[in-house]
Amino acid sequence: MSGRDVALIKLGGSVITDKATLRVFRKDACRRLAHELSVWRGPLAIAHGAGSFGHILAKEHRLHEGFKEETQLKQIALVQRDVRELNVRVLEALIDSGVSAVSVPPAAAASFDRGKVVDFDPTLIDKTMALGLAPVTFGDVVPDVSMRFSICSGDLMMYELARHLKPRKVIFCADVDGVFTGDPKKGDDASLIPALDREAIAGMKRDAPVSADVTGSIHGKLEMMLAIAGHCEKCIILNGNVPGRLESAMRGEDIPSTTVLPG
Ligand code: IP8
C-alpha cells in the first residue's frame, strides 16, 4: 500500500467507552466518529483503545506484568473476549457509516517480547488494504516471548502501522482538545498547546493517570506520537467528544488540536 493518501486514525478508549465503568460502550460517540471519518476518500487504517473493556481487569490482575500465576489465565481469556466484543461494536459502527472495516488483532500482524514488537508482518494489513478494506486493530492481550503474555496498546499498533504505511494524516481522538499547559479537567487555568516537539514533551510534568490504565497514559502516548510523527505528514491529537472535529481534521481544516512535530 503506497502511503501518501492513507489516513491512520486512533479511536481512544476514553472516547468510545466509559473508562471508569467496566465494559460500557459509548455507542453514540463511536457511531458519530465512524460517520465523521467516513468523509475520507483514500485508504483508511484504524486502531482503537481498550478503555473499560481492557484496562480495568488488566490492572486488577496485573496482566501488564506478564505471567505471575495460573489465576491470570482466566482473566486473559476474559479481557481478550471483552476487547473483541468492543472491536465488533466498532466494526459495526464503521460498516454502518460506509467504511468496509475488518478486524486485524495485533497478534495477527506482530510478535512481542517484553511488551515490545519484535517482528511486524504487514501481509494481512497489505492484503486487506489492497482489496479496499479498512483494517481495524485494537489494544489486546498478546503472546509474549519472555513474559508469556503482555499488553499491546492500540498506540503501539499505531506506531507499527505508521512506520509501514507512511500515512498522510495520523489522528488520535482523545477526550480533551489536545495537550494543555495544565490539567483542564482539574480546573487549572490551562491553555491548549498547538504544537509540541521532542524537547517540549521531555520537559512535561508526569502526573499519575486518573483512571485504571496499564499502558502509560498521556505521556506514553506523546512519546509514541513523537515516533509516529517521523513517518507521516501530520500527526495530531484532537477532541473526539466534540462533534465535527474529526471530520474537519479529515478535510484538512484548522481545528483546536495539538500537532506533534517530528525530530
Ligand atoms: O487502550 C490496552 O490498549 P490501549 C489494551 O490502546 C488492554 O492502551 C487489553 C488493556
Side-chain angles (χ1 to χ4, degrees), residues 10 48-51 54-55 58 79 83 139-141 151-155 214-215:
K10 167 89 187 279
H48 65 79
H55 287 272
V79 171
V83 295
D140 199 1
V141 189
I151 300 288
C152 169
S153 75
D155 291 352
V214 292
T215 50

Side-chain angles (χ1 to χ4, degrees), residues 235-252:
C235 179
I236 69 169
I237 181 163
L238 56 72
N239 197 335
N241 279 331
V242 178
R245 292 259 171 100
L246 174 61
E247 181 171 339
S248 298
M250 301 301 283
R251 295 188 192 280

Side-chain angles (χ1 to χ4, degrees), residues 1-4 6-9 45 109-112 116-122 125-126 129 154-170 172 223-235:
M1 175 58 50
S2 70
R4 286 299 164 189
V6 176
L8 174 59
I9 312 296
S111 308
F112 302 85
K116 295 190 165 42
V117 172
V118 284
D119 180 35
F120 182 71
D121 176 359
I125 302 280
D126 287 347
M129 294 185 79
D155 291 352
L156 188 53
M157 291 306 286
M158 286 290 284
Y159 171 68
E160 293 300 333
L161 288 170
R163 215 162 57 95
H164 177 64
L165 296 171
K166 305 279 187 262
R168 183 186 303 170
K169 276 180 202 298
V170 177
F172 285 80
E223 269 148 32
M224 204 62 86
M225 287 182 75
L226 193 56
I228 289 170
H231 297 284
C232 62
E233 269 179 36
K234 192 162 181 164
C235 179

